[in-house]
Amino acid sequence: MTATPILRLRGIDKSFGAVQVLHDVSFDVHPGEVTALVGDNGAGKSTLVKCIGGIHPFDGGEYWFENEQVQVHSPRDAAAMGVEIVYQDLALCDNLDIVQNMFLGREKRRGLVLDDATMEEMAAQTLEGLSVRTVKSIRQQVSSLSGGQRQTVAIAKAVLWNSKVVILDEPTAALGVAQTAQVLELVRRLADNGLAVVLISHNMNDVFAVSDRIAALYLGRMAAQVSTSDVTHSQIVELITSGRSGDLGLAHSNGATA
Amino acid sequence: MTAAVAPEKPELPRGPGTSKKNGAAGTASMRSVARNYVDRVRGGELGALPAVLGLIVLCVFFAALRPVFLSELNFANLLTQGAGSIAIAMGLVFVLLLGEIDLSAGYASGVCAAVLAILLTDHGWPWYGAAGAAILTGTVIGLLLGVLVAKIGIPSFVVTLAAFLGFQGIVLMLLKEGTNISIRDQTILAVANNNLSPALGWVLLAVSVGAYAAIQLRQNRNRRRRGLATAPFTLLAVRIGGLAVLGAIAVHLLNQERSRNVIVDSLKGVPIVVPVIAVLLVAGTFLLQRTSFGLHIYAVGGNAEAARRAGINVAAIRISAFVICSSLAAVGGIIAASRGNSVDPNTGGSNVLLLAVGAAVIGGTSLFGGRGRVVDAVLGGMVVAVIQNGMGLMGYSSGVKYAVTGSVLLVAAGVDALSRRRAVQR
Ligand SMILES: Nc1ncnc2c1ncn2[C@@H]1O[C@H](COP(=O)(O)OP(=O)(O)O)[C@@H](O)[C@H]1O
Ligand SMILES: [Mg+2]
């Protein structure tokens, strides 16, 4: 496996008011690999991802990107480094069309004026590249799309930017069987193209099908980060539900190992 | 310049296309364009349809009952009557797009008109200095409102309700407890009282139609060359032709002599407020439809959290919408001052705000944010002006006019709420 992680978190803490959601979390993401991030509901997966994406500030800890320690204060900072996130609540504007959503905040312009033709071309190419053929027109409003189509738009938005790290928060949760397979295939393809991909999922079959590594969060602590080939389904399930599995996982009451 | 009566064609969101492969090719047929439009209307995106239909029905109705409604004089009156609140309504569109409201826009226009009158009449400033100061006053007002809403987080309803009362007081103080300041500056008076020469009216129309056609055709050619979906040529022809024909009818009518006594003074030509409103319409439409800033206004109104995650400075967008709103209110105040030949404590007061909000909503701008266009203010403003004017001709009292206009606003808001529900249910 690849030697150096592109994104490295160390000792991350995060609280919302009095509630501490993340405790001393370490997390590595490698280029060319799919890292699955698993954990029970409320374990803190989405919070971790939002912190990586600059939506929430970390309370403490280190954020390393390409061997440099960085400060990410806003979504723009994360995007500038090449970190793109497909949020669980997709964060699309219903009243805008597909192209407008894909380029939101980073519109192509000619002088003052929006360069619609270029944006439309790029959006069409990206969707083409993802083998997406289900949308009728890329100029249709997002409010008229189905759940799977919206997911596709959100993913296309993330890969449009030659990003280096793409993080997908439960991208298949609302999808049917065929669409899920498509999205997973897409996830694998992104990693094979050299991107670092993080996939959050509750489905163990999906996780084992596409991931190279698995990171398990348990009650806001990183229980273990392991190679997918070194573990079994049941070990991961144990890590998710109790934070331990044999010699893997958290030492008893507090503090992380592994 | 004839934008006030511009045809409302099925507007496709810039890239009309229904081709199979992600819309990335070919010219859509007229048929599919029409089908798309019908689909969208069914789906709750009514756009300007209710306002256009309402305008037609109202005009036919009043024309049948009071033939004088159709006279050239009345047509010109209608335009100058509506202009002030249309300018205010244009500004309100920006705020409404965010899902906010500005209840103080009427009195803000009053404050700015008072500033204008005092500088012009009491201090002898030149018209451009006084008008500039009035608009700057509007800008500062908008900045204040915007900061209170976007930075402090007070609901816009409360901020602008407080400002509504506050500005009313400021107008009274500026006008020394209710004196009336008359405007004698010829340039300011000309805005709402004078007309373009008939020839200039034609020239401006020709230039407008020519520019519109050039932009549309160039855009279409550019898209075709790049292999992107394009609107059918027929649709372009209908749009350009429609603008030309309706514009020509309007200019022709307005160029007729409408003075009762020609020897004393001749009265003909397009009122100067018409090109003024047209310039605001084009500028506002350009800003909203063709720039990143405009797109971000829609984005914040549609889903503020998504906008934030896209790296958009949501607070800055909110503040600038209020700045635009109050600045345009100032323009509305200048038009009102010109039309009234004076400024008094009622300028911008009584029903001005209600008519302006009514204009925007009747025109199709949603009260829930995210949907609306500057042209809505013009179309809705014409509906409101026709109701006021037509009922006046029929001899109804102000009381009845208010009640009817209020009901129309309520109906428009109801249509807005229902069409939104329909869009959500899909
Ligand atoms: N904005 C927020 N404010 C307060 N608490 C939050 C917020 N976001 C998440 N939480 C809490 O943090 C915990 C982790 O949530 P989340 O990261 O969404 O978990 P997961 O995605 O793993 O299911 C939950 O207990 C949740 O209630
Ligand atoms: Mg989650």
Side-chain angles (χ1 to χ4, degrees), chain B residues 129-150:
Chain B
I135 293 173
L136 192 66
T137 306
T139 307
V140 172
I141 288 174
L143 200 60
L144 184 74
L145 299 176
V147 167
L148 289 174
V149 172

Side-chain angles (χ1 to χ4, degrees), chain A residues 50 54-56 75-76 87-97 100-101 103-110 112-118 120-121 123-124 127-128 132-139 141 143-144 157, chain B residues 13-24 36 39 45 218-219 222-223 226-229 286 289-292 295-313 369-371 423 426:
Chain A
K50 283 179 182 167
I55 298 284
H56 299 315
R76 259 186 213 283
Y87 294 99
Q88 189 171 5
D89 46 345
L90 293 175
L92 299 173
C93 292
D94 273 353
N95 60 332
L96 300 184
D97 67 32
Q100 288 169 330
N101 266 292
F103 283 85
L104 190 60
R106 292 177 279 191
E107 298 83 12
K108 296 279 170 213
R109 283 177 305 189
R110 282 226 302 274
L112 267 182
V113 185
L114 290 173
D115 187 353
D116 275 314
T118 299
E120 219 173 296
E121 270 175 8
L127 287 168
E128 198 86 12
V132 174
R133 300 215 166 69
T134 53
V135 295
K136 195 172 68 164
S137 157
I138 53 175
R139 281 300 181 183
Q141 280 200 359
S143 61
S144 69
K157 178 181 181 173
Chain B
R14 277 162 276 157
T18 44
S19 55
K20 281 115 238 147
K21 274 195 338 181
N22 298 329
N36 269 359
D39 281 351
E45 279 181 70
R218 217 189 71 170
Q219 195 174 321
N222 184 21
R223 292 183 62 89
R226 298 174 75 156
L228 297 168
F286 174 80
Q289 312 299 330
R290 305 295 305 138
T291 69
S292 287
L295 192 64
H296 294 174
I297 290 213
Y298 283 101
V300 171
N303 184 344
E305 180 57 21
R308 191 171 82 90
R309 290 186 194 171
I312 293 169
N313 186 340
R371 187 154 49 87
R426 273 199 301 181

Side-chain angles (χ1 to χ4, degrees), chain B residues 47 92-101 301 357 360-373 376 412-413 415-417 419-420:
Chain B
L92 279 166
V93 166
F94 286 81
V95 168
L96 291 174
L97 275 174
L98 299 180
E100 308 279 355
I101 183 80
V357 173
V361 175
I362 291 167
T365 294
S366 173
L367 288 164
F368 301 98
R371 187 154 49 87
R373 291 173 307 166
D376 295 348
V415 169
D416 176 27
S419 70
R420 176 184 144 90

Side-chain angles (χ1 to χ4, degrees), chain A residues 46 88 169-170:
Chain A
S46 296
Q88 189 171 5
D169 195 350
E170 303 198 23

Side-chain angles (χ1 to χ4, degrees), chain A residues 48-95:
Chain A
L48 181 62
V49 161
K50 283 179 182 167
C51 289
I52 294 174
I55 298 284
H56 299 315
F58 290 122
D59 294 340
E62 296 172 7
Y63 188 148
W64 293 77
F65 192 81
E66 291 183 325
N67 293 319
E68 274 181 54
Q69 192 170 351
V70 292
Q71 302 289 330
V72 175
H73 298 293
S74 72
R76 259 186 213 283
D77 292 346
M81 300 190 308
V83 175
E84 289 291 331
I85 301 185
V86 179
Y87 294 99
Q88 189 171 5
D89 46 345
L90 293 175
L92 299 173
C93 292
D94 273 353
N95 60 332

Side-chain angles (χ1 to χ4, degrees), chain A residues 16 21 40-47 56 88:
Chain A
F16 290 111
V21 177
D40 224 336
N41 278 328
K45 306 180 297 293
S46 296
T47 304
H56 299 315
Q88 189 171 5

